[in-house]
Amino acid sequence: MDVPELVARAREGRPRAVARLISMVENGSPRLREITAELCADRPSRARVIGLTGAPGVGKSTSTGMLIQAFRRRGMRVGVLAVDPSSPFTGGALLGDRVRMQEHATDPEVFIRSMAGRGHLGGLAWATPQALRVLETAGCEVVLIETVGVGQAEVDIASLADTTVVLLAPGMGDGVQAAKAGILEIADVFVVNKADRDGAQAAVRELRNMVALAGRAWRPPIVPAVAVRGEGAEEVVAALDGHLAYLESSGELGRRRHARACAEIEAIALAALRSRSAHLHGDRRLDALATRVLEAGLDPYRAADELLAAVG
Amino acid sequence: MDVPELVARAREGRPRAVARLISMVENGSPRLREITAELCADRPSRARVIGLTGAPGVGKSTSTGMLIQAFRRRGMRVGVLAVDPSSPFTGGALLGDRVRMQEHATDPEVFIRSMAGRGHLGGLAWATPQALRVLETAGCEVVLIETVGVGQAEVDIASLADTTVVLLAPGMGDGVQAAKAGILEIADVFVVNKADRDGAQAAVRELRNMVALAGRAWRPPIVPAVAVRGEGAEEVVAALDGHLAYLESSGELGRRRHARACAEIEAIALAALRSRSAHLHGDRRLDALATRVLEAGLDPYRAADELLAAVG
């Protein structure tokens, strides 16, 4: 099937066309450029993008499931991208192991897709914006991007999402450690999941203190939830709505989306430069330079100059 | 003080010169290039680089402290880089809150440094190789790089370290979730910390099964430890030695270091291209392109073409 036809079918919300396009995007299809052009020409209405992140074990998938339900109750069409950087088990497969999400597997208004993130720096940055465009073309009004981990992956998601939700759970490392991972800088909404467990109130209190100290223009609300029972769903959605209203009234929504577009263009341009350099010289020149850095005391800045002079 | 003098003092193992140089490197000093050249010209002997990573709460700092002690018992000079991506609390500061490490704060053969990672993609990739060179110049024979989190940050550390230690603790999310975060691909040694807790043996068993299934050429050993009491220190070091012996005999050590040098040169070259583009056109051209992507259906590939044509 050719790309315009696939895109036309995705526009009708046909799940197989959506899945096929996301696979092509994720696998770096030679038709990636054509697909992106077709999706952009279509100018679908923009989805609200919500990132969910947190350490393993906090209940990200369960919380994503809870949010799917909450947005479905509003009659919205929902897309989900579950991004596990370099996971060997989720590469390109549809979600099978996430019980809470499977409830939605047969709902024609819910599109769920697991992506592997390719395991290299920028893997997420590459494929996700295109996958997002596919889901927008399919008419998704809200897209949830779930990612594993605390660390660099979070920074990625913060740059992709309009609103970033950081999930925590009692007893998963204390607040100070949470702060160390830089989550205070990227969280727009905190959800303390498993709030029926010991230590939940203490976690909420500690977070509240840290948030007050951080002194950002937007003070992230802290919402307790028990995602496995759906408790707190409406409160979380209310917090998300509050943040969206803030983004719109402050002009921050436009700024975030503009920064996102800049980052995407730059990433594509840098990748093009990179492949141009590899194409011209194989990787032999770089190899030789690396050897000189390792064995002959060449400094890497001078090595980079030589590389650029050769490409330029 | 000028750069050659600072480097000379670092070579004598003076802590203040070491700290100053790492700060300059971390803060992207305008003299970064000069510092790097001076450090490389010096051609210090290479340190053994060990990365430690894991989710918040598994006891990374305590385990790092345990390893410092173990290497000190061998009479080795030890460097530590604690990298917390985008943490607002550790930016450039010496470690103050890591009790186990403070024991070593007055040991002249131990250099401990906390780095903030700058919170952007590649922050770690940038500053860490130079900080490592500073520690090598100061005569460190082993450098421990501690990083927070499971996710993209781990991939970074795996590309920087000769040996990557993944720390787990019982009850911190089950094995399947650990696998999802891609740790199986990057772990050279697993340490199950807090091994005196319930569930430790089950965690070891589960990991053992996963490791067997992964079928890598090197099968990562799984070592139980109670870092807070120093239990398991010698076993962990023995596992690290085993991996180093494997790296040397298989030729993998040279390959890893070569790949690391390639990545560093490329990162510097790409950053130079990027700043060249920004310098030529301000960011106005990119801004205008981003606006057209957002509002006029321009696709980002065509936008990247235009950006490159303007720079080229």
Side-chain angles (χ1 to χ4, degrees), chain B residues 104-259:
Chain B
H104 309 284
T106 55
D107 182 340
E109 301 293 317
V110 179
F111 297 84
I112 298 178
R113 186 72 191 183
S114 182
M115 295 174 76
R118 301 280 127 230
H120 56 73
L121 245 134
L124 177 58
W126 261 101
T128 314
Q130 315 310 336
L132 184 57
R133 284 198 177 94
V134 175
L135 292 172
E136 286 173 335
T137 296
C140 291
E141 296 155 272
V142 59
V143 174
L144 308 171
I145 306 182
E146 181 199 325
T147 188
V148 170
V150 230
Q152 209 64 49
E154 271 184 339
V155 179
D156 285 347
I157 205 136
S159 73
L160 281 166
D162 300 321
T163 300
T164 299
V165 178
V166 172
L167 286 151
L168 298 164
M172 297 281 303
D174 61 18
V176 176
Q177 277 173 309
K180 276 189 192 157
I183 59 171
L184 275 176
E185 285 178 1
I186 65 136
D188 300 310
V189 172
F190 282 106
V191 173
V192 177
N193 192 26
K194 306 183 184 180
D196 53 347
R197 294 204 183 163
D198 286 349
Q201 283 188 312
V204 169
R205 252 196 322 272
E206 199 174 357
L207 269 175
R208 198 165 283 151
N209 291 335
M210 292 201 307
V211 161
L213 285 170
R216 283 172 51 191
W218 165 258
R219 185 178 290 199
I222 299 149
V223 189
V226 187
V228 75
R229 294 201 299 267
E231 289 173 24
E234 291 310 315
E235 290 77 2
V236 175
V237 172
L240 295 172
D241 287 347
H243 185 247
L244 182 61
Y246 161 78
L247 287 178
E248 283 171 343
S249 65
S250 64
E252 182 68 19
L253 186 64
R255 276 193 295 276
R256 285 193 182 199
R257 290 181 168 180
H258 192 270

Side-chain angles (χ1 to χ4, degrees), chain A residues 190-213:
Chain A
F190 282 105
V191 173
V192 176
N193 193 25
K194 306 183 184 180
D196 52 347
R197 294 204 184 164
D198 285 348
Q201 282 188 312
V204 169
R205 250 195 322 272
E206 200 174 357
L207 269 176
R208 198 164 286 152
N209 291 334
M210 293 200 308
V211 161
L213 285 169

Side-chain angles (χ1 to χ4, degrees), chain A residues 101-182:
Chain A
M101 284 201 200
Q102 272 187 322
E103 292 173 16
H104 308 283
T106 53
D107 183 339
E109 300 293 317
V110 179
F111 297 84
I112 298 177
R113 186 72 191 186
S114 182
M115 295 174 76
R118 300 282 127 229
H120 57 73
L121 246 133
L124 176 58
W126 260 99
T128 315
Q130 315 310 335
L132 185 58
R133 284 199 177 93
V134 175
L135 292 174
E136 285 173 336
T137 297
C140 291
E141 295 156 272
V142 60
V143 174
L144 307 171
I145 306 182
E146 181 199 325
T147 188
V148 171
V150 229
Q152 210 63 48
E154 271 184 342
V155 178
D156 286 345
I157 206 137
S159 73
L160 280 167
D162 299 321
T163 298
T164 299
V165 178
V166 172
L167 287 151
L168 298 163
M172 298 280 304
D174 61 18
V176 176
Q177 276 173 310
K180 276 188 192 157

